[in-house]
Structure formats: C-alpha cells, structure tokens
Amino acid sequence: MNPASLIPLAEPIPIHWAWFDLLLVTTFTAHILFMNALVGSAAIGLVHAMRGDSGLAREVGKKAPPLLALTINLGVAPLLFLQVNYGQFDYVSSVLMGGWWLAVIAALMLAYYGFYAYKFGHDALSPGRRTALLAVSLVGTLYVALMLTTNMTLMLRPEFWPQYFEKTGAAVLNFGDPTLYPRFLHFMVGAAAVGGLFVALLGRWGKNDAFVEVGMRWLNRATLVNLGIGLWFLVSLPPDILLAFLGGSLPATLTLVAGLGCAGMLLAAGFRKQPIQATVWAVLTVFFMSLTRHWLRTLFLAPWFNIKDTPVTGQYSPVLLFAVFLVAGVAAMAYMLKLYFKSREGRA
C-alpha cells in the first residue's frame, strides 16, 4: 500500500502559514515550561517523600493542581495550531492510536484529582498513602507524555501507517521508531531539570536555602544527563535529517547551536546557584529547542508535504477575533494570579 494514499488533502488556511507556525512554537514553549515544572517538581517531591522528607513533597504538592491546570490550558493552543497547519498528519496518527490516545483524558483526570487529594488531604493521610497518591498522579502525567510523544512521532512517519491494516485494525503505537525513546527521555529528563529550577525558585521566594540547594543540584545534574540523551536523540535520526542538523540546513543547524549555547549558559548559572538567571536561560533553551523540534517536523514531512503548497483564503477576521480573545484571556489570567498571590495561600 502506498502511504501517500492515506494522507488527507490539506485544508485551506485563513492567513499565511508562517503565522500559525510562529504561534505553534511560542505556545508550545509556554506549555513545555509549565509541564516541566509540574512533572519535574512532582518527581523530585516523590523522591524526597520516599526518603522520608515530606517537607519538600508537601510544598510542591501544593503547587501541582494549578500547575497541571495551566499545563493543560496552555497545551490546547499548540495542539490547535498544529492541527491548522499539519492536521492531515496529526488526525491520522491520533486515529491509528485508537483507545490508547483516548485514554489520555482518563489519565489526566486521574492525575488531576490525585494531585488535589494530595494537596488537601496531606495532613489526614498516612505517609505511605500520601507517597502512593503522589506516585499514581505522577504516573498519570507520564502516560500522557508518552502518548503525546508517540502521537507526535507517528504523525511524522506515514510509511508506518499501513501497519494498521497489517494488524487487522489493531492500534498502532509506533514503538518501533528508534527516535521515540530518546525523544521521550529528552522531555522527561528536561522536566527534572526545570522541576529542580522550580524548587529552587520556591526556595528563593520562601527564603529556604535548603530548597535552593536541592533544586539547583537537580537542575545541574539533569541538564548534564540530558545533553547525553540529546546526542542519542540526534544520532537516532535518519541520516539525511541528521546531516541537516549538522550543517545541511542553515536554520535547523543555527537553532540547534543556539539551544546548546543557551543550555551551556543555563548550566553556568546553575553551578553559580543563581535561580533567576537560570530561569532566563531555561526559557531561552526551551524556546530554541521547540524551534529545533519544528525544523525536525518539517524535515520529516518533507517527502510527503510542503507547507508552502497549502492554499490560503485570506480571511483575517477569525485571526483578529482570536487575537482579541487571546489578549482578554491573558488579562483575565493575570488578574486571577494577582488575586491568588494576594490570598493567604498565595502569600504562603
């Protein structure tokens, strides 16, 4: 079967595709930063809870529900922009995954209620039950991350799609893709690094030097490990795409080099135990890595699709309406955060 016959036709888009790519990369950066803070800090809290140190686990547990809410809400935007420009690939991969993809909703609900139960039932639960509850919630988020990684790799490999018919309709999970495992670990170890930075920021705001020490240690070690995993991810790519990142494509190479440079500055700030400076470099690192991920998607889809061929209708009113609601939504979120930090819990 020719995989190209399984790719739907591209739908017309209202304005130039570059605007949607820019919004995709920008909103994905915000989503990843909050996801990393959530998953990474929860993992660090779980490790400390298992060691008998419930103080740190309790503090990150208090922040988990709002972090998860922000992660989910900020994850909707990049998913929608992805579907605007690359929906003919993302929709197919989602359908091929079947029930595994739909189970993401249940896993998110499990994690959400688990984090809430941990936060509000912390004092009433025994240490063992608290630790188990935190572990189950973390596993729920890891399942979501794994399925998202699987979906994002499957959409790039139409040549794998005919497996669905060879398996008589069984779900396709793309576990045979050599890039899947380093890609997933690259995100999760990165989460440990940013989660450590989040713990350090909590310590700085709360004048808790122990939290700063622990957080910066996690940041430094996880970042060093992630450099190795990033190299694994790079060499797992098909040869033509690997060469594109090693000088064959100027935009792809420059963004990769910029990301590595920012990661180096992040480590420098981490070893100096400067959480604020490290936060700036962490945001820049995640942005350039998100941009690198965009070039990776473009290179993978090049044999099947060229975004420049997508028809444009020139309808600007939906985009203007989106911009108005975006500004209003950001203003509302800023106001709610202001009220939160004025509250007793926020001040704590």
Side-chain angles (χ1 to χ4, degrees):
M1 176 180 291
N2 183 6
S5 65
L6 301 176
I7 303 174
L9 294 176
E11 294 289 337
I13 55 178
I15 61 174
H16 195 277
W17 54 267
W19 287 103
F20 294 111
D21 274 353
L22 177 62
L23 289 168
L24 169 58
V25 172
T26 305
T27 55
F28 182 75
T29 299
H31 165 69
I32 286 298
L33 285 168
F34 279 98
M35 182 279 291
N36 285 351
L38 168 70
V39 175
S41 63
I44 295 170
L46 178 61
V47 170
H48 281 258
M50 294 174 67
R51 293 175 179 173
D53 177 14
S54 61
L56 191 149
R58 181 174 185 174
E59 287 304 310
V60 299
K62 289 179 181 179
K63 313 302 180 187
L67 278 178
L68 181 54
L70 288 168
T71 299
I72 294 172
N73 282 278
L74 289 171
V76 172
L79 189 60
L80 291 177
F81 292 130
L82 177 76
Q83 291 168 353
V84 170
N85 277 358
Y86 310 97
Q88 66 270 40
F89 297 93
D90 176 62
Y91 282 130
V92 174
S93 60
S94 300
V95 170
L96 292 177
M97 290 177 62
W100 295 99
W101 180 243
L102 292 176
V104 163
I105 300 173
L108 276 176
M109 292 177 64
L110 175 68
Y112 213 158
Y113 286 107
F115 283 131
Y116 264 112
Y118 181 89
K119 175 180 179 178
F120 293 107
H122 186 278
D123 296 335
L125 295 171
S126 65
R129 290 184 176 180
R130 288 200 302 261
T131 302
L133 191 58
L134 185 59
V136 170
S137 302
L138 181 60
V139 168
T141 61
L142 292 177
Y143 174 83
V144 175
L146 179 60
M147 290 301 105
L148 279 167
T149 305
T150 303
N151 198 345
M152 295 303 105
T153 55
L154 184 58
M155 69 169 281
L156 304 180
R157 308 299 288 265
E159 65 270 24
F160 291 171
W161 294 357
Q163 295 178 23
Y164 180 82
F165 302 98
E166 296 168 4
K167 295 181 178 180
T168 62
V172 177
L173 288 179
N174 204 33
F175 285 164
D177 189 335
T179 68
L180 175 65
Y181 305 103
R183 185 183 182 119
F184 174 70
L185 289 175
H186 194 53
F187 277 106
M188 294 302 100
V189 176
V194 177
L197 179 57
F198 180 69
V199 170
L201 289 172
L202 289 178
R204 188 180 186 280
W205 292 328
K207 296 180 172 55
N208 188 325
D209 293 338
F211 277 23
V212 175
E213 180 72 26
V214 169
M216 299 310 280
R217 186 165 62 245
W218 275 88
L219 169 66
N220 296 332
R221 293 178 179 178
T223 301
L224 287 171
V225 171
N226 215 18
L227 289 174
I229 295 175
L231 179 61
W232 175 21
F233 186 16
L234 190 64
V235 299
S236 70
L237 298 173
D240 57 328
I241 296 180
L242 172 61
L243 291 175
F245 282 103
L246 297 180
S249 168
L250 186 60
T253 303
L254 288 179
T255 44
L256 178 61
V257 171
L260 290 173
C262 290
M265 297 302 295
L266 171 62
L267 275 173
F271 284 120
R272 291 196 299 266
K273 298 180 182 178
Q274 299 173 326
I276 300 301
Q277 291 87 336
T279 300
V280 174
W281 290 113
V283 172
L284 289 173
T285 300
V286 172
F287 172 75
F288 281 114
M289 288 303 171
S290 299
L291 197 54
T292 301
R293 180 178 180 269
H294 169 71
W295 294 124
L296 178 66
R297 176 173 51 243
T298 302
L299 291 166
F300 261 112
L301 294 180
W304 313 97
F305 171 69
N306 188 341
I307 187 66
K308 295 178 181 179
D309 296 331
T310 303
V312 178
T313 62
Q315 295 175 320
Y316 290 91
S317 55
V319 180
L320 292 175
L321 188 62
F322 163 78
V324 170
F325 279 100
L326 176 63
V327 172
V330 170
M333 289 179 61
Y335 179 67
M336 288 187 287
L337 287 173
K338 180 181 178 180
L339 293 179
Y340 171 76
F341 285 116
K342 281 185 176 181
S343 68
R344 182 174 60 182
E345 183 180 350
R347 291 194 302 271

